[in-house]
Every structure is written in C-alpha cells, then in structure tokens.
Amino acid sequence: METTRTGLGRTLQLHRFWQAVEKGVTLERALEIALGSPFPRKTESVLLEDAAGRLLAKDLASKVDDPRFDNSAMDGWAVRKANCKDTGSILRIVGTSQAGSSTTPSVGKGEACRIMTGAPLPEGADSIVMIEDSSTEGERVTINGPARTEYIRKKGENLVSGAIALVAGSLLTPAATSLAATMGHSELEVVSKPKIAVIGVGDELTPPGEPLADGAIYESNTYGIASLVRKMGGSPVRFEIIQDTTELLREALDEAAESCDAIITSGGVSMGEWDIVRILMEAEGDIGFWKIMMRPGGPPLFGTWKGTPVFGLPGNPVSSHVVFTVLVSQWISKCMGADLVSGPRMANRVRVIMEEPLKGAPGKLCFRRISIRQEGDSLVGSTSTHQGSGNIHSMVAHNALSLLPPDTDSRIGATIDALWLI
Ligand code: AMP
Ligand code: MG
C-alpha cells in the first residue's frame, strides 16, 4: 500500500489499521489471512541429479511402460507350466536369457531356457522355476519345484506409458527421484526456492563467537529460522542483526522487500515501546493480523512491506520456532504449491497417551514440548525440561508438541493430539 508520511496519510493509515487488522486470531484464521498475500510461485528446470529434495512443479508422465517387457522376477528357468506338472520332470536346455539381451531363444514343448532376474521372458514360456528348485546335468535340467506364473513381471504392471505417477507439488524424495528416472526423465521442472529474508531485531543481540557486553546475549533465532526455511525448501538470506531503531529496520525491510520473496523478522512484535517491528509495520506497513490464540508464540504479526509478505515472529526462541513450525511452514508449502499428501511437512499428527499431567492455556491452543516414544502398540508422551518459551533446549530435548485445545489440561493417562516433529 502507499506509505505517505504526511500527517493526513498517517491518520488514514492508523484508521485503516484499526479497521483492517484482526487481533488475537485462531491459527487457522492466521493461515487464511497470510495466504491472502502469497509470494509468487516460480519454476525452473534442474538436472535429475540435482532434483532430490525439491518440489515438482508439473505432473510427470511416464515415457515408458514399467516393466518395459515381460521379465523374470527370479534367477531360474523359463518353462511351459504344462511340462512341469510332475516333480522330477526333465527338460532340454535351449539357451540363456540375460538382463539386457535383445534376442532370446524361444521355449518349446519339453524345453527350458536359463533366465536371470530382469531378463526378457522367452517366446513360448509361461512360467518360471526358481534356480533353487532345479538341478542340471549337461544339456538337461531336472525340475524339483513349482513353475509359477507369479514369478513373471508383466509389461506395464507398474506403470503404463503416459501414466502420471508423480503429481505437481510432490516432494522429490529419494524414491520419487528414482521413479522419475524410471520414467525416463533426465531433467525436471521444479518450484524455485523462495528467497526468504531472516532478520533478527534487538539491541541485546550479539553474534555467537563475539565478546558479550553487559546485558547482551547471543543471537540464536536467525540461525534456527534460516534452517527451518531451508527445511521447507526455501533459500534463507540472513541479514545483519538490527538494533531497536525504526530507521535501521526500515532500511533492512526495504532491502529485503527489493531482494527477497518474503521476510521473516524475529523479536519486537509485542506491546512494548521498543517493539519496533510492530510499531513500524503499524505506521508504514500493511498488517493482516496481530497475535494468535496460541501458547507459546502468541505475539506474531503478518502483513506486507511494499507488497512483500512479512511474518513478524516473537523473539523468544521457542515461540519463533513453534510459530514457524505450525504456521509459516504451511504458508510456505501452500505458496509453493505443495501437494497436501506428498509435499514437505514438519510434523505428523498423532494420538499420544500422556505419562504426566500437562497444563493447557486459558483461551489458547497450547504447544507444550513433549517426547514421544513407542511402547507396545501405543505412543507414549512425557516431558523433561523446563517449558519456558525462552528455553530452546526444550525443543532439542523433546521431539513433539502437544496440541492441547484452549482451556484444556491433560491428566495422567489421557490421550491427546500431538505433532510428532520430523
Ligand atoms: P522480544 O520479542 O524482542 O521482546 O524478545 C523476547 C525475548 O527473546 C527476549 O528475551 C529477547 O532477548 C529474546 N530474543 C529476541 N530476539 C532474539 C534472537 N534473535 N535470538 C535469541 N533471543 C532473542
Ligand atoms: Mg526485543
């Protein structure tokens, strides 16, 4: 939106702010609002060998039948089933069908062709006998076991030429990459990695490794957030730490809006007079929502700065991590066009039996950090460390987040929903 700084412009903006900004929204609503301002989806072509971990941009059709021809699933003998009814049948060996051979002898009555796994089925044969079920002597083979049609892999039984086996928005997992190769593709059209600016804001923040002045702490969020962005298929651009001054923040946001597809800030979104991300976004940006009914991670905002989407995440390390996990990750996924089933995700939703009581939050969806382990047929949840939103160790010492509905505590033995982090 236009950001005139005249008195009138500012009045209009404040007026618009109070009208348009939704405050204290649910997580679902937060996602809906953020999806109203997606980053543009771009695509590019990459070599298959560089495609692993990327998101497929277009449905992919097979260029071939898979298998390309009827072939053997076993090392053994290609035979006519009718000739192997009796144990001890003796057949005449007519030759060998090897994987890769283009011509194979045909199998007639009373004959057998030696065959390797993956080799084409000779003309005239309708079954395979496993090598283990045979013995040979010169040009003759004695069949001591069953001749099975099931040991033949039929042409096109996995895929027929033209079939779409990988849909647009699929994550190119190792198996998907292998499948793309099976289908004959050497290059794939993938979704371009969105460039996402990651900006840490706070006077107290010092890069790790540097001497700490009194009252200073090591800056950690931009490292965590950048790595989360990477995990979701984005390309993070970490900016220098911004002091709590609107001038510096404005410059950084301008640069980020110019050079990146989206912006994530950390810190400075609460109620305080030094919470300059909120203050600057209110005055000169365009805010969609402020505050989500969740704990931890209540204070975030979403809006745009000169048209570029901005997530203002809270400074508390657990809060920013959790908000990314449950909200920003989904937004990135959807903006990139990820498939719901085969796209990337940060967690699987599961049901867990709690070993300990868990305290929920009044009016808020509560994400306590828990550890999930398998015990017999059940998933069991427990907690170990201090749960404060400043304690990033709690995200390392646990592997999941509770999904306690607003105003709900959980007692020992209760079954709750949880997000098992990947
Ligand atoms: P804020 O949201 O700016 O009020 O910050 C909340 C808490 O998070 C404060 O204790 C900050 O020192 C801390 N914090 C803010 N930004 C970061 C960061 N980038 N890395 C580590 N801690 C931070
Ligand atoms: Mg701060």
Side-chain angles (χ1 to χ4, degrees), residues 159-243:
L159 279 179
V160 287
S161 179
I164 289 169
L166 282 170
V167 294
S170 298
L171 178 66
L172 289 161
T173 60
T177 311
S178 204
L179 177 58
T182 301
M183 297 197 297
H185 296 274
S186 59
E187 280 183 33
L188 299 178
E189 191 72 7
V190 298
V191 180
S192 301
K193 295 181 179 193
K195 263 174 92 177
I196 302 189
V198 182
I199 307 175
V201 183
D203 283 346
E204 74 282 27
L205 304 176
T206 306
E210 288 187 13
L212 284 171
D214 285 350
I217 61 164
Y218 287 130
E219 194 279 317
S220 63
N221 289 351
T222 61
Y223 297 92
I225 294 168
S227 136
L228 287 164
V229 165
R230 211 169 277 124
K231 205 166 168 177
M232 286 313 295
S235 180
V237 183
R238 282 185 51 253
F239 275 53
E240 296 270 310
I241 299 162
I242 299 296
Q243 303 287 297

Side-chain angles (χ1 to χ4, degrees), residues 201-205 244 266-269 274-276 315:
V201 183
D203 283 346
E204 74 282 27
L205 304 176
D244 286 320
S266 118
V269 285
W274 295 111
D275 285 322
I276 59 156

Side-chain angles (χ1 to χ4, degrees), residues 139-396:
E139 295 300 295
R140 315 245 153 230
V141 55
T142 307
I143 304 298
N144 302 315
R148 293 197 196 278
T149 51
E150 306 90 285
Y151 293 159
I152 296 170
R153 302 191 285 213
K154 302 294 277 181
K155 174 179 158 122
E157 73 178 11
N158 302 332
L159 279 179
V160 287
S161 179
I164 289 169
L166 282 170
V167 294
S170 298
L171 178 66
L172 289 161
T173 60
T177 311
S178 204
L179 177 58
T182 301
M183 297 197 297
H185 296 274
S186 59
E187 280 183 33
L188 299 178
E189 191 72 7
V190 298
V191 180
S192 301
K193 295 181 179 193
K195 263 174 92 177
I196 302 189
V198 182
I199 307 175
V201 183
D203 283 346
E204 74 282 27
L205 304 176
T206 306
E210 288 187 13
L212 284 171
D214 285 350
I217 61 164
Y218 287 130
E219 194 279 317
S220 63
N221 289 351
T222 61
Y223 297 92
I225 294 168
S227 136
L228 287 164
V229 165
R230 211 169 277 124
K231 205 166 168 177
M232 286 313 295
S235 180
V237 183
R238 282 185 51 253
F239 275 53
E240 296 270 310
I241 299 162
I242 299 296
Q243 303 287 297
D244 286 320
T245 21
T246 44
E247 287 70 28
L248 291 174
L249 179 62
R250 187 185 293 116
E251 268 175 34
L253 289 178
D254 280 348
E255 190 188 329
E258 274 282 305
S259 57
C260 295
D261 299 302
I263 303 169
I264 299 177
T265 63
S266 118
V269 285
S270 299
M271 292 292 286
E273 61 178 299
W274 295 111
D275 285 322
I276 59 156
V277 175
R278 174 189 53 80
I279 291 168
L280 192 63
M281 284 295 290
E282 274 177 15
E284 299 173 28
D286 208 345
I287 301 186
F289 73 76
W290 179 34
K291 293 187 179 169
I292 305 177
M293 300 303 279
M294 62 183 274
R295 178 180 292 169
L301 62 76
F302 175 84
T304 55
W305 181 266
K306 303 198 169 155
T308 301
V310 181
F311 276 97
L313 301 189
N316 274 312
V318 175
S319 307
S320 61
H321 221 88
V322 170
V323 174
F324 190 103
T325 303
V326 300
L327 175 65
V328 186
S329 67
Q330 291 199 61
W331 180 79
I332 293 177
S333 251
K334 295 224 165 161
C335 294
M336 288 178 79
D339 182 72
L340 274 185
V341 178
S342 48
R345 69 176 82 135
M346 307 218 77
N348 285 321
R349 195 176 173 134
V350 291
R351 300 274 290 161
V352 182
I353 302 170
M354 284 309 298
E355 265 184 340
E356 292 149 26
L358 263 191
K359 203 151 173 38
K364 294 181 174 178
L365 183 57
C366 188
F367 298 96
R368 300 271 174 212
R369 275 115 284 145
I370 61 173
S371 286
I372 298 181
R373 64 175 195 280
Q374 180 98 40
E375 235 179 64
D377 290 340
S378 306
L379 296 179
V380 176
S382 60
T383 58
S384 48
T385 58
H386 174 52
Q387 292 274 340
S389 60
N391 183 18
I392 192 65
H393 183 233
S394 69
M395 288 296 297
V396 177

